[in-house]
Amino acid sequence: MDKKQFVYALFRGLAVAATLISIILCTLLAANWLQLVLYTPLDTPGLKVLEERYRENPSDSGLLEEIRSLDLLARKAYFTKSRQIRTGGFILLGSIAVSLIAFAVMAQSRRSLPVPGKGEDSGVRTRERRFARILIGGVTLLLLIVSVGAVILSDNIIPIGVLSVSETVTQEALPEADNLPAGKMADVPAFPADYEHYWPAFRGPGGVARAEGENYPLDWDVETGRHILWSIGITEQGFNSPVVWKEQIFLAFGDTEQFEVVSFSTTDGSELWRTMVKQITDPETLPDISEDTGYAAPTLATDGEGVYGIFATGDVFALEMGGSIRWSRNLGSPSINYGHASSLMTYKNCVLVQYDHEDSARIMALDRNDGKSIWEKKRDVSSSWASPVFASCGEQWILLLNANPYFNAYNPDNGEELWSLDYMNGEVAPSPAYYGHIAFAANQYATLVAADILTGDFLWEYYDDLPNVSSPLATENYLILPTAYGVVTCLDALTGEVLWFEEWEEGFYSSPISAGGNVYMADLSGVVHIFKPGSSYEEVALISMGEPVLSTPAFSEGRIYIRTESRLYGIGE
Amino acid sequence: MKRKFLLFSLFFSFLLVSLSGIDRFPRPEFKTNYSTPSLTTVPARANFYDYIDVGILFVSLFLATWLGVKKRSRRGILILAFFSIVYFGFWRRGCVCSIGAIQNVVLALFNTTYMVPLTVIIFFLLPLVTALFWGRSFCSGVCPFGALQEVVALKPVRLPEWLNRGLGTLPLIYLAFGILFAVTGADFIICRFDPFVGFFRFGATVEMFIYGGILLLIGIFVARPYCRFLCPYGVLLGWISQLSGRHLTITPDKCIDCKLCENSCPVDAIKKPHSGESDPKRLKERRMVLLLIVLMPVFSILLGWGFSAAAPFFSRLHPEVETAYQVALEEQGQVEYSTLESDAFRASGKPAADLFARASIIRERFRIAGWPVGILLGFSIVMRYIGTFVRRKQEGYEPDKEACVSCGRCFASCPVEQQRKDKRDNG
C-alpha cells in the first residue's frame, strides 16, 4: 500500500467513525430536544394534583414542601437536559468538523483525473443564452408583478399630515430654528402620571428640588459600605447630575473626542447601555469652555418616553429609553463664557431648552419626537447658566427662568411671557425656586427676589450671602440659600426674614434637595449635610462621601443617587 | 451514495442542536419578601477587539490573495477557509460581517444620527479594495459563509449557463431591497435572513435553521448556492472584480487549450475561448441591444416609480409603521382584533397622532428612497440582460472575473500548473 492509499484508508476510517459518532450523537440529541419541546415541565399530572390539593388546603405546609421539591426537581431536570443538548452540540460540531476534514483529505488524496470538455459550441452557447434571457426576463417580470401588486395593495389608511411634514424627511441636522416648520403642542397631560415618582430632571420633577416619598436614608458610610447598595467608578467627564426613571439612571459625558449618554441600573449600578451622540457641528470648532464646566454640564431630562439632553456644542438630542437615537440637531454653537450649562426640562410632548447666550437668547419648546420647534421666544437677556423650573398654580403651569437682567415667567404651552422682573445682574447660574404662590430667584452680588407666581408682583428682596452656582430651595415656610463659600442661610419664605445661618469651611455647588422632611446638601468636599428645615438649624447628619460632590443628588423611591468626582453611589436601606 | 447520505444526516441533525432556549418556566410568585434579581447586561466588548478583527481580516485577505494569485495553493485556501469558519464564524459569531455591513454603511450615508463604527466601514471596504486589484479573494476563504459552503461542496455538479445567468439576477434584487430597507431605517433584512449565522451562534429560529440547512445540503452538490444566487455583497464584489488587473488565473502560463479545466469550476465561472467570428444572427442581436439601451431608462423609471408608489406597502416592514397601520385599522373599526404591538402602544398612553406622524415620515422616506433604488435595479437588470448578447474574442480558458470566487479548484485540472508544481518540487 503506498502512501496515498494509506492516507486515503486512514482518513476514510476517520470519516466513517466521526460520521457514525455524529449520527449517534444527533439521534440522542434529537430525542433529548424533542422531549424538551414536547414536555412542559410544570404541567406534570403529579404536580397538578398536588397543587389542586394545596389550593383546597393552603395551610398544609408538608404539601407545600412536597410541591416545592417536585417543582425544583422538574426545573433541575429541564436545565440539565438543556445543558446536555448544548454540550452535545459542541461535541457534534467537533465530530462534523472532523468528518469534513477527513472527507476533504480523502478527496485530495484520490483525485480523479479531469475530463476534457467539449470546447466552444456556438449552437449550444446561443441556446443557453436564449434560455438565460428568458429566465432573466421571467425574474424581471416577477419583480414587476410584485411591485405592481405592492402598489395595488398599498393603502393610505394611516392618516397623514398630522404634523406639517416637511419635504426633508431625512434626519439630517436641521437648519436654524426660526426657519423650521412648526410642530404642535399636543393636548396631553403636562407630565406623565408617575413623573413625581422618579427623578426626571435637574433638581427633580419640575426642577423644584422636592422628592416624593418619606423614607430616605439618613445615614450611610462609604468606607464600611453601610447602606451603600452599590458604587461604580466613573472616569468620563461631565458635571451633570443623575436623573432617574424606573430602573435607569442617566448621565451624560463629553470631552473633545466624544459625547455619550449612559444608562446605569438602579439596582446594581451596572451599565445598561451607552450611546454615542454624534457631534453634529464641525468637531474642529468646539466652543470654548472652562474645565469646571466641561461639555456635559447640562443635566439630562426624561419623561419615560425618551431621554433628552444637550451638550456645550449646542447639539441637542433625544434618545429612546433603550438608548437608540431618535433625533439630534444643533441649535447653533453657543457664545457663552465657561460653556452652556442650562439643563433641559420636559413638558407635554416637548423638551424645553433655555438657550441664553451672548449672541442670542431664547427659550424653545422642541417636539420630543422629531426635534422641531413647537414654539420659540427670543429673550432680551444676557448669558445664563440657570435651568427652567415649573411652578404649578392650580390647573396652570408656569415656566420660571432666571437670567440677567430678568426673572421671567412664561406660559409653557405657547411661550407667552406672563411677567418679568428686572432685578438680576451678573452671571446668573442659580435656577429659580418656588413654593405655594411665591417664586424666588437669586444671584450672588445681585439680589434674591421673591414674587407672586401668578402676577409677578414683587414681594420682598434680600441681598446678603447669595448663591452663585447652586440654586435655592423653597419649602413650605423656608427658603434655603447655600453659597459657594460655605455660608448657608435660611429665610422665612413669606417675609424674607433671616431665621438662621451656618457657616462651613467648604462651599456648595450642589443644590439642596428636600426629601422625607429633611434637606440634603452636599458641599464641595463631599460632606452631605442633612438637616431639618425649621426656624433654627437642626442637624440630622453629616456624612462624608470621601471626595468632592459637584452635582446634585437624585432621590427616587427611597434611594439616593450621588455622583461624586469619580464615582456614582446608590444609597438605600 | 452512502457518503452523501451520511452527510445529509449530519447536517440535518446539527440543525436540532441549538433549537432550545425557550423560556418554559414562568417566574415563580414568591410569598416571602424575596425579590427577583434584575437582569444584568453583559458589558460591551472593548473597542480594541474590533481593531484586532480588522487586523485579522487584513491578514486573511492578504493570505487569500497570495495563496490564490501567487502561491496558487488550493490546499492553503482550504486551510484558510477552515480558519475563517472558526474565527469569523464561531468565534466572532458571524458579526460584524462584510455582507451585513452594506446596510450599516448605507444607513450612515443617509442618516446623520446613525453612527457606524470605523471598523464596520473597514469590513465593508477592505474586501472591495482587494477585489479591485486581485478579484474576489474575500470569497475564496475569508468570508465565513463562503468558507462554510466551500468546505461542504464535496461533489459539485455543473449547472447550465442559462440557469447561472438567470438566477444571478436574484442577488441584485436582494441587494436593492436590502439597501431600501436599511436606508429607511426599517430593517436590516440581509442580517435578518442570514442563513448561517444561526449555526455560528448556536441559536436561531427553526425556520432559519431549516433555511440554512437546506442551503448547506444543496451546497454539497451545487457549490456555494448563497454566494452565487443570493449574496448581495457578491454583487458589489463581482462588479468591482471585473476591473481587477491581477486576477487569479487557471494556468500559470499561457493556456494550451487542452479543455481539461472546462468542467473543473464548482461555480461555473470559467469562460471558454471564443473565436469572435461573426454570426449571421449578430445583426438581429445588435438591434435587440440597441432597443434595450433605448428602453433601459423607461424600464428603470418604471421600476423606480413602482418602488416609490409601493411605499405604503413596503414601509409596513418598519415596526412603527406596522403598529400605526394596526392602530389606524382599530380606530376606524376595520378590525375587531388588536395585536400585542397595538396593545402595548395604547398602554403607553401616547397619542395616536404622534404615532401616525412618525409613520408618515417613515413612509415618505420610502417614497423618496424607492426611486433611486428602483432605477438602479432596473438599470442593473437590463445591463445583465444585455450581457447575454455580448460576445468577446477570447483565447484560452479564463476565469469569469465577476463570478470567480478564487477558490483555486481549477488549478489541479491544469497540466501547465502540474508541470510548474513538478518543477518546483523537483527543484
Side-chain angles (χ1 to χ4, degrees):
Chain A
M1 186 189 278
D2 67 6
K3 185 184 170 188
K4 273 196 177 165
Q5 283 177 325
F6 173 73
V7 166
Y8 182 84
L10 174 67
F11 278 89
R12 185 179 61 182
L14 190 60
V16 169
T19 307
L20 278 172
I21 290 170
S22 303
I23 291 173
I24 293 167
L25 258 178
C26 56
T27 308
L28 293 172
L29 287 174
N32 223 1
W33 173 77
L34 261 174
Q35 218 177 10
L36 211 57
V37 166
L38 297 173
Y39 172 60
T40 317
L42 298 182
D43 280 344
T44 55
L47 201 52
K48 289 280 178 216
V49 165
L50 289 176
E51 284 173 356
E52 191 57 45
R53 279 169 50 192
Y54 182 71
R55 269 190 282 275
E56 291 163 7
N57 191 12
S59 60
D60 189 344
S61 57
L63 192 54
L64 182 62
E65 284 309 311
E66 204 179 331
I67 290 171
R68 283 179 177 161
S69 303
L70 264 179
D71 183 285
L72 182 62
L73 278 172
R75 289 168 194 270
K76 273 186 179 172
Y78 174 80
F79 287 111
T80 303
K81 274 199 196 329
S82 290
R83 260 197 310 278
Q84 284 170 350
I85 288 179
R86 197 153 185 89
T87 308
F90 283 115
I91 299 173
L92 181 60
L93 177 68
S95 61
I96 288 174
V98 168
S99 305
L100 281 172
I101 292 170
F103 283 129
V105 172
M106 282 169 63
Q108 284 275 307
S109 57
R110 198 180 265 194
R111 273 202 303 262
S112 49
L113 289 173
V115 175
K118 293 175 185 167
E120 172 72 3
D121 180 332
S122 60
V124 169
R125 187 175 188 160
T126 306
R127 194 169 56 246
E128 294 273 346
R129 291 196 169 199
R130 193 168 69 238
F131 289 159
R133 280 176 225 130
I134 292 170
L135 187 54
I136 293 173
V139 169
T140 309
L141 186 62
L142 196 61
L143 180 64
L144 279 172
I145 290 171
V146 166
S147 300
V148 169
V151 173
I152 292 170
L153 290 172
S154 293
D155 54 34
N156 287 317
I157 194 167
I158 300 172
I160 58 172
V162 177
L163 287 178
S164 304
V165 178
S166 87
E167 290 304 308
T168 307
V169 295
T170 59
Q171 291 207 20
E172 293 171 2
L174 296 172
E176 281 298 310
D178 291 338
N179 298 332
L180 291 172
K184 206 169 161 186
M185 186 69 78
D187 183 20
V188 295
F191 301 101
D194 43 6
Y195 184 74
E196 290 189 2
H197 195 60
Y198 304 111
W199 199 256
F202 175 58
R203 298 165 76 218
V208 299
R210 292 191 284 274
E212 186 189 78
E214 291 301 317
N215 299 318
Y216 284 95
L218 294 174
D219 88 292
W220 61 86
D221 190 325
V222 298
E223 287 189 16
T224 64
R226 187 175 76 252
H227 295 150
I228 302 293
L229 299 172
W230 49 263
S231 82
I232 57 168
I234 292 178
T235 54
E236 299 90 337
Q237 295 176 34
F239 292 109
N240 55 97
S241 304
V243 298
V244 182
W245 192 273
K246 288 192 178 171
E247 291 171 358
Q248 296 193 74
I249 306 168
F250 304 105
L251 282 172
F253 303 103
D255 56 30
T256 54
E257 301 291 324
Q258 62 190 28
F259 301 90
E260 296 176 307
V261 174
V262 183
S263 168
F264 301 95
S265 166
T266 58
T267 307
D268 57 10
S270 57
E271 188 176 304
L272 298 176
W273 51 257
R274 178 181 290 259
T275 297
M276 198 181 301
V277 179
K278 181 183 169 184
Q279 191 187 327
I280 302 170
T281 49
D282 181 355
E284 294 192 358
T285 57
L286 290 171
D288 288 332
I289 51 100
S290 66
E291 272 190 18
D292 49 11
T293 308
Y295 292 99
T299 295
L300 301 166
T302 179
D303 55 4
E305 302 292 334
V307 181
Y308 316 98
I310 185 169
F311 289 109
T313 51
D315 294 339
V316 64
F317 57 89
L319 309 182
E320 303 294 344
M321 295 303 284
S324 58
I325 297 179
R326 190 188 294 170
W327 56 261
S328 62
R329 60 178 281 196
N330 182 265
L331 301 177
S333 190
S335 170
I336 182 171
N337 294 338
Y338 316 120
H340 180 77
S342 301
S343 301
L344 304 185
M345 200 61 69
T346 61
Y347 176 76
K348 291 190 178 179
N349 66 318
C350 71
V351 176
L352 291 161
V353 186
Q354 181 177 355
Y355 211 59
D356 293 337
H357 305 136
E358 294 304 322
D359 294 346
S360 77
R362 41 195 168 139
I363 175 72
M364 296 175 277
L366 307 180
D367 190 313
R368 68 181 176 185
N369 292 316
D370 54 22
K372 290 182 182 168
S373 293
I374 295 178
W375 57 256
E376 263 186 51
K377 290 296 173 197
K378 286 200 164 67
R379 285 159 47 77
D380 188 18
V381 297
S382 299
S383 300
S384 172
W385 295 260
S387 300
V389 167
F390 272 99
S392 162
C393 290
E395 295 295 319
Q396 189 182 357
W397 285 95
I398 292 176
L399 181 66
L400 300 171
L401 301 184
N402 193 15
N404 172 10
Y406 297 114
F407 175 28
N408 291 107
Y410 293 88
N411 180 340
D413 285 309
N414 53 24
E416 176 200 353
E417 187 181 279
L418 300 174
W419 50 258
S420 171
L421 283 178
D422 184 353
Y423 276 87
M424 287 300 143
N425 63 58
E427 294 177 332
V428 176
S431 302
Y434 98 95
Y435 198 97
H437 66 94
I438 307 178
F440 309 90
N443 191 36
Q444 191 181 33
Y445 307 129
T447 186
L448 162 71
V449 64
D452 183 284
I453 203 161
L454 275 175
T455 62
D457 289 341
F458 171 83
L459 295 175
W460 53 260
E461 199 174 357
Y462 178 76
Y463 300 102
D464 297 330
D465 298 316
L466 298 174
N468 72 331
V469 176
S470 61
S471 303
L473 166 68
T475 64
E476 189 170 354
N477 298 308
Y478 310 104
L479 184 70
I480 310 295
L481 301 175
T483 67
Y485 44 88
V487 171
V488 177
T489 310
C490 177
L491 307 179
D492 183 312
L494 292 173
T495 63
E497 177 194 349
V498 176
L499 298 174
W500 55 260
F501 73 88
E502 292 288 324
E503 188 167 359
W504 284 282
E505 282 186 16
E506 292 293 339
F508 298 86
Y509 276 14
S510 171
S511 295
I513 302 294
S514 168
N518 295 301
V519 175
Y520 293 73
M521 249 174 15
D523 69 26
L524 286 168
S525 70
V527 172
V528 178
H529 302 247
I530 308 175
F531 57 90
K532 285 205 171 304
S535 54
S536 62
Y537 178 68
E538 188 183 335
E539 182 180 288
V540 173
L542 287 175
I543 304 172
S544 173
M545 297 302 297
E547 55 178 6
V549 175
L550 282 84
S551 60
T552 299
F555 292 74
S556 178
E557 298 187 294
R559 292 183 182 182
I560 308 174
Y561 304 98
I562 299 180
R563 179 184 182 174
T564 64
E565 201 170 51
S566 66
R567 299 195 75 77
L568 178 66
Y569 290 87
I571 300 165
E573 292 172 6
Chain B
M1 192 60 198
K2 203 186 285 184
R3 194 168 73 175
K4 290 166 195 170
F5 173 75
L6 289 175
L7 283 169
F8 176 86
S9 314
L10 277 177
F11 288 117
F12 178 72
S13 57
F14 187 63
L15 291 181
L16 304 177
V17 169
S18 301
L19 292 176
S20 59
I22 301 168
D23 184 3
R24 305 196 69 82
F25 283 95
R27 287 198 178 179
E29 293 171 2
F30 293 101
K31 291 203 172 7
T32 60
N33 290 330
Y34 178 82
S35 60
T36 310
S38 58
L39 297 173
T40 54
T41 311
V42 175
R45 197 169 175 252
N47 284 342
F48 73 85
Y49 284 120
D50 292 340
Y51 287 101
I52 291 176
D53 293 336
V54 167
I56 292 177
L57 175 70
F58 180 83
V59 170
S60 301
L61 281 169
F62 171 80
L63 274 175
T65 306
W66 179 71
L67 287 166
V69 176
K70 189 77 177 166
K71 189 98 166 94
R72 300 176 61 81
S73 167
R74 162 69 189 161
R75 185 179 300 176
I77 291 172
L78 199 58
I79 293 171
L80 181 63
F82 273 106
F83 167 78
S84 295
I85 293 171
V86 169
Y87 186 80
F88 291 113
F90 289 103
W91 180 254
R92 289 291 295 117
R93 310 184 86 184
C95 189
V96 62
C97 79
S98 305
I99 304 171
I102 299 170
Q103 300 159 122
N104 303 85
V105 169
V106 295
L107 180 58
L109 281 174
F110 294 97
N111 186 340
T112 53
T113 65
Y114 180 76
M115 296 287 299
V116 59
L118 179 62
T119 50
V120 173
I121 296 175
I122 294 173
F123 260 81
F124 173 73
L125 284 178
L126 205 49
L128 295 174
V129 170
T130 313
L132 182 62
F133 295 98
W134 297 287
R136 295 172 64 165
S137 308
F138 176 71
C139 301
S140 65
V142 182
C143 173
F145 296 178
L148 189 60
Q149 294 170 89
E150 180 64 33
V151 302
V152 305
L154 294 171
K155 212 71 179 161
V157 298
R158 290 200 63 207
L159 295 182
E161 187 188 346
W162 62 267
L163 194 60
N164 273 318
R165 282 182 176 262
L167 293 180
T169 317
L170 296 178
L172 285 171
I173 299 172
Y174 195 13
L175 178 65
F177 277 109
I179 290 174
L180 178 65
F181 290 123
V183 84
T184 51
D187 200 0
F188 280 7
I189 61 169
I190 297 172
C191 298
R192 184 173 295 283
F193 297 112
D194 185 329
F196 304 122
V197 79
F199 296 120
F200 294 137
R201 297 183 181 185
F202 289 91
T205 61
V206 175
E207 296 83 9
M208 291 313 296
F209 266 120
I210 291 173
Y211 169 41
I214 287 173
L215 280 177
L216 286 178
L217 283 173
I218 293 172
I220 297 173
F221 309 107
V222 177
R224 297 186 176 235
Y226 183 83
C227 301
R228 292 158 80 182
F229 306 129
L230 285 171
C231 180
Y233 194 60
V235 174
L236 303 177
L237 286 171
W239 285 344
I240 291 176
S241 186
Q242 291 181 78
L243 303 172
S244 58
R246 295 284 320 268
H247 196 282
L248 166 155
T249 54
I250 302 169
T251 171
D253 208 333
K254 194 170 168 20
C255 176
I256 59 174
D257 202 12
C258 63
K259 302 183 181 56
L260 287 172
C261 64
E262 191 173 299
N263 300 314
S264 64
C265 180
V267 299
D268 305 313
I270 292 181
K271 294 197 292 190
K272 299 177 197 170
H274 184 62
S275 61
E277 285 169 4
S278 315
D279 187 323
K281 292 180 187 164
R282 284 293 278 164
L283 185 60
K284 198 174 166 187
E285 288 184 350
R286 280 197 190 125
R287 283 188 189 142
M288 180 61 96
V289 169
L290 280 171
L291 181 64
L292 283 170
I293 290 172
V294 167
L295 288 176
M296 187 193 302
V298 175
F299 174 72
S300 301
I301 289 171
L302 183 67
L303 205 55
W305 171 84
F307 273 42
S308 178
F313 180 81
F314 289 141
S315 63
R316 285 181 59 187
L317 197 74
H318 196 293
E320 213 155 10
V321 175
E322 182 58 23
T323 305
Y325 191 82
Q326 176 64 29
V327 169
L329 284 175
E330 290 171 22
E331 288 196 347
Q332 292 168 23
Q334 293 194 35
V335 291
E336 289 179 1
Y337 59 87
S338 62
T339 61
L340 281 174
E341 290 78 14
S342 64
D343 287 341
F345 173 75
R346 293 198 193 287
S348 71
K350 295 181 199 175
D354 274 3
L355 179 65
F356 296 150
R358 285 200 298 275
S360 296
I361 291 171
I362 295 164
R363 202 169 47 197
E364 183 68 9
R365 272 189 230 144
F366 270 89
R367 193 187 67 77
I368 291 175
W371 274 106
V373 170
I375 287 172
L376 283 172
L377 179 60
F379 173 79
S380 304
I381 291 177
V382 174
M383 286 303 291
R384 194 165 183 84
Y385 198 89
I386 290 174
T388 62
F389 293 103
V390 172
R391 297 162 198 255
R392 289 198 185 92
K393 182 181 173 186
Q394 181 184 309
E395 291 176 3
Y397 285 80
E398 288 176 3
D400 181 344
K401 288 182 183 178
E402 188 180 0
C404 174
V405 294
S406 303
C407 67
R409 288 193 192 220
C410 51
F411 296 157
S413 307
C414 179
V416 180
E417 170 66 22
Q418 288 307 313
Q419 232 175 16
R420 180 192 76 93
K421 269 190 179 165
D422 291 340
K423 216 173 175 178
R424 184 194 65 199
D425 293 342
N426 295 333

